[in-house]
Amino acid sequence: MMRKASLFILPFSLAAPAVRADLLRDWNVVVTGNAYVRHETEGPVRVGGDLNVVGGQYGIKPRAGTMAGSGVGLMVGGNVVGAQHGGVKLDQGANAVIGGASTPTNVFANGPATVDDASVRGIGASDAALLRTYSDGFKALAPTNSFQLNDVNNKGLFVVAANSVGNAVFNVQAADVFGDSRLGSLVLDLNGRQFADGESVIINVAGEVISFLGGRNFDGDFNTPDPDSPNVPALLIPGNPHVIWNFYEATVIDMLRGNFKGAMLAPNAILKNTNTIDGGVFVRQLGTSANPFDGQDAEIHPPLYRGYVPTTAAPEPSSMAMAAIALAAGGLYARRRRRDA
């Protein structure tokens, strides 16, 4: 028997805002509390609490053009815990800024690190407030399209009006999209529409405790070329920088080793049991202290988010300090290299 929701196409009415620096656009991962990681992230990472490195090694690989601020690949408000000597690898000239006093610099390889930096302590609280504001802003948008579930084709289909401009907004239930074990594939169909910088497909997801039942593929226009890696063939760069999932009610998201595409905004949630994620991750906590192996258990990749960001009165916390820190760290590193030479 086929389930099919009625389809409503409404005109787009939201103009894209001016491009600006922002938590959603500058960082591949933002965790406002603690993070438990086992695998690398191929973009800049920002952790408000402690970064717990499970297994002794964690790689940060910001792709060209994606490093936040002036080369900051890793910012941690608390301590880096569990990393062995050289266990945090910073590639492509990225540097680390750590608020904790107990983190030795010798756990960082390939890039300079500033530790015991008071200017980044407390970023978790301010980041959390800003992410919640963004989530509320996305949720307040009126839906412009409806979600269809077709049992015969076993696909979830997103349809975006091709003859309008602005943002495409969907309101969905988590149980329909992630709690249906029969759903083997989610397909995003933009009907040929090209989204400009500052425009988005926004998917507001209702549900508090969310489990990814059954494996599923993300097909169709969930895959576009990554603007931050223009020289890499599009087939090698999954993900769409204009798609954001807003889990505005979620307290727990258990991926059950499922994969994911698009930016994931869940400001109140613990994210558990991850598989590969192609897009930004913005959550309260990544993994748990009771079982740190249920945290980041696979790689997180770009693209960085390039879509709509709700307007707020408050600037990104520590944005000016971040640039100053990066320049100072880079200068210190250069002076040390000249002195050592």
Side-chain angles (χ1 to χ4, degrees):
M1 181 176 180
M2 180 170 61
R3 287 175 55 204
K4 188 172 184 180
S6 299
L7 175 65
F8 296 95
I9 303 292
L10 301 178
F12 293 91
S13 60
L14 295 171
V19 176
R20 58 187 175 84
D22 188 86
L23 283 179
L24 296 180
R25 296 172 60 91
D26 286 349
W27 300 89
N28 205 160
V29 172
V30 175
V31 181
T32 58
N34 295 331
Y36 298 85
V37 301
R38 297 181 65 198
H39 290 270
E40 72 182 24
T41 294
E42 294 187 359
V45 175
R46 181 177 174 114
V47 177
D50 292 339
L51 174 64
N52 297 269
V53 182
V54 180
Q57 181 172 308
Y58 180 50
I60 308 291
K61 294 184 176 182
R63 293 180 182 174
T66 68
M67 288 185 291
S70 300
V72 177
L74 174 64
M75 181 179 288
V76 179
N79 300 318
V80 174
V81 180
Q84 301 170 5
H85 177 77
V88 179
K89 299 184 181 299
L90 301 163
D91 290 350
Q92 299 189 12
N95 61 63
V97 182
I98 312 299
S102 64
T103 306
T105 57
N106 68 1
V107 303
F108 301 95
N110 305 331
T114 302
V115 300
D116 194 15
D117 195 305
S119 69
V120 300
R121 298 175 199 158
I123 60 172
S126 53
D127 287 356
L130 192 54
L131 292 182
R132 284 192 292 269
T133 298
Y134 290 154
S135 181
D136 291 343
F138 286 127
K139 177 60 179 66
L141 300 177
T144 62
N145 298 275
S146 66
F147 173 70
Q148 293 181 331
L149 184 63
N150 187 320
D151 291 338
V152 174
N153 294 323
N154 199 32
K155 292 182 178 179
L157 176 65
F158 295 90
V159 179
V160 179
N163 59 350
S164 301
V165 297
N167 301 313
V169 183
F170 297 87
N171 289 349
V172 304
Q173 297 291 323
D176 291 338
V177 182
F178 302 103
D180 189 341
S181 60
R182 301 167 299 173
L183 189 59
S185 179
L186 288 170
V187 177
L188 176 63
D189 185 356
L190 301 182
N191 287 334
R193 174 171 169 73
Q194 299 294 318
F195 278 74
D197 196 296
E199 298 177 341
S200 293
V201 176
I202 299 162
I203 308 165
N204 291 311
V205 183
E208 294 185 5
V209 178
I210 300 171
S211 295
F212 285 30
L213 298 182
R216 59 182 49 78
N217 295 317
F218 290 73
D219 296 324
D221 290 320
F222 279 113
N223 303 282
T224 65
D226 185 347
D228 294 316
S229 300
N231 297 323
V232 179
L235 291 177
L236 301 180
I237 311 173
N240 187 321
H242 298 280
V243 174
I244 187 163
W245 300 76
N246 178 31
F247 295 87
Y248 58 93
E249 290 183 327
T251 57
V252 175
I253 299 176
D254 191 339
M255 291 181 61
L256 297 175
R257 301 294 185 266
N259 66 320
F260 192 80
K261 289 186 181 179
M264 176 190 291
L265 172 60
N268 302 315
I270 298 173
L271 176 63
K272 302 170 57 178
N273 295 313
T274 69
N275 203 331
T276 302
I277 299 175
D278 297 312
V281 173
F282 309 94
V283 296
R284 178 171 69 87
Q285 186 166 306
L286 184 53
T288 68
S289 58
N291 180 13
F293 290 90
D294 69 6
Q296 182 181 339
D297 202 28
E299 294 184 4
I300 298 177
H301 303 143
L304 268 67
Y305 181 61
R306 289 293 178 261
Y308 171 80
V309 177
T311 302
T312 65
E316 176 187 337
S318 305
S319 58
M320 297 301 295
M322 180 176 63
I325 291 167
L327 292 174
L332 177 62
Y333 184 61
R335 288 195 297 273
R336 287 177 176 172
R337 286 178 61 90
R338 289 196 298 268
R339 183 182 61 192
D340 293 343

